Amino acid sequence: MRGARGWHVLTAAVTVAAVVLQLVLVVQGGRVLDEVEPPGLGLRLARFIAYFTIQSNILVAVATTLLALSPDRDGAAFRALRLAATVGITVTGLVHFFLLRPLLDLTGADWAADKLLHMVVPVLAVVGWFAFGPRPRVDGRAVAVAFAWPIAWLAVTLAVAGATRWVPYPFLDFRAEGWAHVAVVCLGITVLFSVLIAGFRYADRQLTTQPATTG
């Protein structure tokens, strides 16, 4: 229990620090959102929240903070939150490593925020999930929420892209790649989420279980 609480405290602290650092850089007009000419502050903040990376890191921060307070926490809302956070941050790390990392040329604080959000936090969150649980915590309702969130994010993101021509990630840029390419990417992301959710659910059942308690 002590080891679990310590790991969740560490993960929550690193995640909050990473999100705050990125937020400060966005407010200052950092290069992550627009390398040429940053838009106005209000639009920069709206785009900041629109990034799946930021949303998944915020979910991890909330989930691990709750676990730091109660390492054996349970409940329907918490189960959905933890699964969505863990799967979401896993996708964040994988997509960054294979699709986005080769496109970025960041330095200084921008580089540090990028690595914390996309590499350090995913490793901490996934290791914590496997090493400390708690489990069993994956049920049908949690699966539904964890799957609905990225689908909703894709739908809203593409709707905004069609209306404003701004996309958070280059692989969703229909102007440069075409809608057929974007459709294939969306299908691939959906499959990735499906596989990861199934994998985490299987692991939740197979790994040593702990008695569920409410919290």
Side-chain angles (χ1 to χ4, degrees), residues 25-49:
L25 294 172
V26 167
V27 170
Q28 293 177 344
R31 296 178 56 201
V32 173
L33 294 184
D34 192 324
E35 295 189 3
V36 180
E37 184 178 353
L41 178 59
L43 187 54
R44 293 203 304 273
L45 292 176
R47 291 180 176 179
F48 171 76
I49 296 298

Side-chain angles (χ1 to χ4, degrees), residues 3-37:
R5 177 173 280 113
W7 189 270
H8 298 318
V9 168
L10 173 64
T11 305
V14 171
T15 308
V16 170
V19 172
V20 170
L21 173 59
Q22 185 63 82
L23 177 59
V24 170
L25 294 172
V26 167
V27 170
Q28 293 177 344
R31 296 178 56 201
V32 173
L33 294 184
D34 192 324
E35 295 189 3
V36 180
E37 184 178 353

Side-chain angles (χ1 to χ4, degrees), residues 136-215:
R137 295 293 188 275
V138 180
D139 55 21
R141 181 180 297 179
V143 168
V145 173
F147 193 74
W149 163 49
I151 297 301
W153 179 86
L154 273 175
V156 172
T157 297
L158 293 178
V160 171
T164 68
R165 296 186 176 274
W166 178 82
V167 292
Y169 301 106
F171 51 79
L172 295 177
D173 190 350
F174 62 92
R175 293 174 299 168
E177 306 293 345
W179 279 110
H181 171 85
V182 172
V184 171
V185 169
C186 291
L187 178 61
I189 292 174
T190 302
V191 171
L192 177 59
F193 265 96
S194 300
V195 170
L196 287 174
I197 289 173
F200 278 110
R201 186 173 194 178
Y202 177 80
D204 185 66
R205 292 174 174 176
Q206 295 300 313
L207 296 174
T208 304
T209 60
Q210 303 171 17
T213 61
T214 57

Side-chain angles (χ1 to χ4, degrees), residues 93-144:
L94 292 174
V95 170
H96 170 80
F97 188 84
F98 289 106
L99 297 181
L100 299 176
R101 182 176 54 90
L103 305 177
L104 298 174
D105 183 22
L106 304 174
T107 59
D110 290 308
W111 179 89
D114 177 76
K115 298 309 176 189
L116 286 170
L117 292 168
H118 294 102
M119 299 180 71
V120 176
V121 172
V123 170
L124 289 173
V126 173
V127 169
W129 190 91
F130 278 100
F132 300 109
R135 58 185 132 260
R137 295 293 188 275
V138 180
D139 55 21
R141 181 180 297 179
V143 168

